Amino acid sequence: MSLPQDVQDRLRVKGPEFGRYALILPVQTRNGRTYYLADDVEALRAARTAGLEAEYLVNQAERRYLNEFATGWELELALAVAQNLAANGIGAVIGYVWARVRFSIKRGHHPGPETEVPVRLKIAQVERDEQGAIKIEGIEINGTAEGATALLGQILVGPVTTTMGLASRPVDQPVDDQGEDSTAP
């Protein structure tokens, strides 16, 4: 999985019963250390505004931030969701993405419109298998905010019938800094 190893380890310790709909994950790794991006300071407020019960994976005392943005992506976010995400939780996850899109425009990272903001979104699902081991699976969606949230809704609710011009791949497929498959020829 392309989530940093320390993030995966923390998710395994928390397990799928983390008591919230979602955990806000750090998205950048530098020199073996994992960081949230500077705009993630507003992530919890945006989540609560959208009705998403969320918390940061990393507690406040240990949280570190980078003051940079991924090349070509005005909005990059990662969430872990519990295996039993209810319908109201799905709507709240999508609302959270839109709240972060609006914040990205407000901060001047993209001129808009909201539907066109480039988004890189990682969703990890945490569940317990039949033997009781913690399993982490997920997907990465790269595209516009409109397409990414539409695809995300389809994935979380049921079978995907369209990709709306988006790139999506399992989270464990390597991706370079520009969002390209780093294993492609």
Side-chain angles (χ1 to χ4, degrees):
M1 178 172 284
S2 71
L3 292 175
Q5 188 61 51
D6 67 322
V7 171
Q8 291 183 51
D9 293 343
R10 286 177 186 262
L11 285 172
R12 283 190 181 87
V13 168
K14 281 211 179 261
E17 302 86 17
F18 40 78
R20 304 280 183 173
Y21 292 143
L23 295 171
I24 300 165
L25 307 177
V27 295
Q28 293 294 318
T29 303
R30 298 288 186 277
N31 300 321
R33 296 186 72 172
T34 308
Y35 297 87
Y36 285 92
L37 294 175
D39 283 349
D40 287 332
V41 169
E42 296 291 327
L44 194 57
R45 182 179 308 150
R48 290 181 178 156
T49 299
L52 180 63
E53 286 187 47
E55 63 186 30
Y56 291 100
L57 174 65
V58 180
N59 68 43
Q60 186 174 7
E62 297 178 49
R63 216 173 297 143
R64 297 177 301 265
Y65 293 90
L66 280 179
N67 237 348
E68 64 180 60
F69 303 94
T71 305
W73 299 99
E74 277 73 17
L75 182 59
E76 184 172 9
L77 14 119
L79 290 173
V81 296
Q83 66 186 29
N84 57 350
L85 187 66
N88 58 342
I90 294 168
V93 167
I94 293 169
Y96 167 72
V97 174
W98 283 109
R100 296 288 307 270
V101 164
R102 286 188 290 280
F103 183 74
S104 178
I105 292 171
K106 182 179 175 182
R107 295 285 302 260
H109 301 307
H110 192 274
E114 292 176 3
T115 57
E116 297 300 316
V117 172
V119 174
R120 176 181 288 162
L121 175 62
K122 292 181 184 180
I123 300 289
Q125 185 176 28
V126 183
E127 55 188 35
R128 196 174 300 279
D129 68 14
E130 298 81 34
Q131 292 77 33
I134 304 297
K135 189 169 83 173
I136 303 168
E137 294 182 335
I139 185 167
E140 180 176 311
I141 302 171
N142 298 314
T144 65
E146 180 176 48
T149 55
L151 183 57
L152 177 60
Q154 290 177 2
I155 290 167
L156 293 177
V157 172
V160 177
T161 56
T162 179
T163 61
M164 299 183 69
L166 295 174
S168 67
R169 62 181 60 82
V171 174
D172 61 351
Q173 186 170 350
V175 177
D176 67 17
D177 288 342
Q178 286 75 42
E180 300 296 324
D181 177 353
S182 61
T183 61

